[in-house]
C-alpha cells in the first residue's frame, strides 16, 4: 500500500473515531460535524467575477446547501502563478476568493473547489477576463473638479468626466443635498441623469439657482454621484457655492 493511500485511510479512520467523541462532548453540533461527510450531496457553485485589484483574479463561491462545508481550492493556469487556499462555506452564504493573477491577460485559469476531507471535486469555474476587460474599458464617471460656484438667479454648471475608458454607454445620477443653501429655496430640487454614449468623455450639466432678493452670506450645498460602484470614479462628491447678487 502506497504512503498516500495509507495516509488517506488513516485520516478517514481518525475522523470516524474523533467526530463521535466531539458530538458526545458537545464540542460540535451534528450539522457541523457531518457537513463534509457526503460531498456528493454538497451544493457548491463558483463563478468568476471582475476584480478591482489588478493583481488578483476574483471568484465567488456559494454554498447553496443547508450545512457548513469546508473546502480546499486550487487554481491552474500559467506556470508559476498557481494558487490555493482553504475556505469555510456557511450554509446559504458566499465567500469571495482571490487568487494570484498571471501577467498574461488572455491566460485562462481554472478554479477547482474540493471537499476538505474526501478531496472530491465539488465545482469548477474558468476566468472570463475578456468580459471584465470590456467592463474596465467603459471607464468611470466622476466630477471634473471638487467645487464650483455661481451667482443666485443664474444656473450653476456641473462638469462631469469619464476616465479610464470610453467604450459603450454608462449612466449615473447626480442628487443634491442641502447645506447652508436649501433645496427648493436656494436651488431647484432636482436629480440629473448623467449618460455617456460610446466615445464620449465629458459633459456639462446645469442646475438653476433661485433668486430670493435677500442679502445673504455665501451659501453652499453638495452634489453626489450615484450609480453602480464599478462605474463611479474617485471624485463622487462636489461642493457648490452660491454667491449673493443683492
Amino acid at each position: 500500500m502506497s504512503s498516500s493511500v495509507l495516509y488517506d485511510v488513516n485520516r478517514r479512520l481518525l475522523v470516524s473515531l474523533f467526530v463521535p467523541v466531539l458530538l458526545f462532548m458537545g464540542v460540535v453540533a451534528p450539522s457541523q460535524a457531518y457537513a463534509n461527510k457526503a460531498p456528493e450531496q454538497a451544493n457548491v457553485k463558483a463563478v468568476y467575477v471582475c476584480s478591482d485589484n489588478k493583481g488578483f483574479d476574483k471568484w465567488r463561491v456559494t454554498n447553496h446547501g443547508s450545512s457548513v462545508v469546508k473546502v480546499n481550492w486550487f487554481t491552474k493556469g500559467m506556470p508559476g502563478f498557481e494558487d490555493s487556499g482553504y475556505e469555510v462555506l456557511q450554509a446559504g452564504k458566499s465567500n469571495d476568493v482571490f487568487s494570484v493573477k498571471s501577467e498574461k491577460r488572455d491566460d485562462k485559469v481554472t478554479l477547482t473547489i474540493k471537499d476538505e476531507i474526501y478531496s472530491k471535486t465539488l465545482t469548477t469555474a474558468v476566468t472570463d477576463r475578456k468580459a471584465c476587460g470590456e467592463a474596465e474599458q467603459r471607464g468611470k464617471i466622476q466630477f471634473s473638479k471638487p467645487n464650483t460656484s455661481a451667482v443666485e438667479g443664474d444656473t450653476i454648471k456641473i462638469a462631469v468626466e469619464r476616465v479610464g475608458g470610453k467604450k459603450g454607454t454608462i449612466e449615473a445620477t447626480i442628487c443634491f443635498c442641502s447645506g447652508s443653501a436649501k433645496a427648493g429655496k436656494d436651488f431647484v430640487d432636482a436629480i440629473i441623469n448623467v449618460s455617456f454614449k460610446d466615445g464620449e468623455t465629458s459633459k456639462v450639466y446645469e442646475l438653476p439657482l433661485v433668486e430670493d432678493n435677500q442679502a445673504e452670506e455665501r451659501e453652499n450645498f453638495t452634489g453626489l454621484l450615484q450609480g453602480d460602484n464599478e462605474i463611479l470614479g474617485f471624485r463622487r462628491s462636489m461642493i457648490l457655492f452660491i454667491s449673493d447678487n443683492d
Side-chain angles (χ1 to χ4, degrees):
M1 183 179 294
S2 67
S3 59
S4 60
V5 173
L6 182 61
Y7 169 79
D8 187 59
V9 170
N10 289 336
R11 186 177 66 169
R12 295 189 186 190
L13 180 61
L14 286 173
V15 169
S16 64
L17 293 174
F18 192 55
V19 167
V21 174
L22 292 177
L23 287 170
F24 177 77
M25 296 175 63
V27 176
V28 296
S31 60
Q32 294 175 314
Y34 293 105
N36 287 63
K37 188 173 182 180
E40 66 278 1
Q41 298 176 5
N43 189 2
V44 175
K45 302 296 181 184
V47 294
Y48 182 74
V49 293
C50 299
S51 172
D52 292 332
N53 193 322
K54 303 298 183 183
F56 293 87
D57 285 315
K58 183 178 179 180
W59 316 82
R60 185 152 295 149
V61 184
T62 304
N63 177 9
H64 294 283
S66 58
S67 300
V68 175
V69 179
K70 299 177 181 180
V71 300
N72 294 311
W73 60 264
F74 311 86
T75 59
K76 184 176 181 181
M78 184 176 178
F81 288 89
E82 292 87 356
D83 205 350
S84 61
Y86 170 80
E87 294 288 327
V88 177
L89 305 176
Q90 300 296 328
K93 302 293 184 180
S94 297
N95 288 21
D96 285 343
V97 171
F98 293 85
S99 61
V100 176
K101 180 186 290 186
S102 71
E103 298 171 347
K104 188 178 179 183
R105 186 176 180 273
D106 60 350
D107 182 29
K108 183 162 288 189
V109 177
T110 300
L111 172 76
T112 301
I113 304 291
K114 291 191 175 186
D115 174 83
E116 179 200 25
I117 296 176
Y118 297 95
S119 295
K120 178 181 175 62
T121 298
L122 302 179
T123 188
T124 61
V126 180
T127 51
D128 189 7
R129 292 181 184 169
K130 182 179 180 181
C132 289
E134 291 175 356
E136 292 170 0
Q137 292 172 12
R138 291 187 306 169
K140 296 178 181 290
I141 300 173
Q142 65 180 27
F143 289 114
S144 300
K145 51 186 179 180
N147 57 73
T148 188
S149 62
V151 177
E152 67 176 16
D154 201 349
T155 58
I156 192 165
K157 292 180 171 55
I158 303 165
V160 185
E161 62 186 0
R162 180 183 193 175
V163 298
K166 55 183 180 179
K167 184 175 182 179
T169 299
I170 53 174
E171 298 177 337
T173 58
I174 304 173
C175 65
F176 300 95
C177 299
S178 298
S180 54
K182 306 302 181 184
K185 177 179 179 294
D186 298 299
F187 62 92
V188 173
D189 189 5
I191 292 176
I192 296 176
N193 294 315
V194 178
S195 179
F196 286 92
K197 295 181 179 179
D198 188 61
E200 294 181 330
T201 58
S202 63
K203 296 272 187 174
V204 176
Y205 296 91
E206 296 185 355
L207 180 73
L209 303 178
V210 178
E211 171 68 73
D212 59 12
N213 297 316
Q214 295 179 0
E216 297 174 308
E217 298 291 333
R218 194 184 194 202
E219 299 176 312
N220 67 78
F221 61 106
T222 303
L224 298 174
L225 268 171
Q226 296 183 327
D228 292 337
N229 189 62
E230 64 182 18
I231 58 96
L232 294 181
F234 173 75
R235 194 177 295 116
R236 304 182 184 188
S237 65
M238 178 187 224
I239 305 299
L240 302 98
F241 294 95
I242 305 175
S243 298
D244 187 44
N245 64 355
D246 298 308

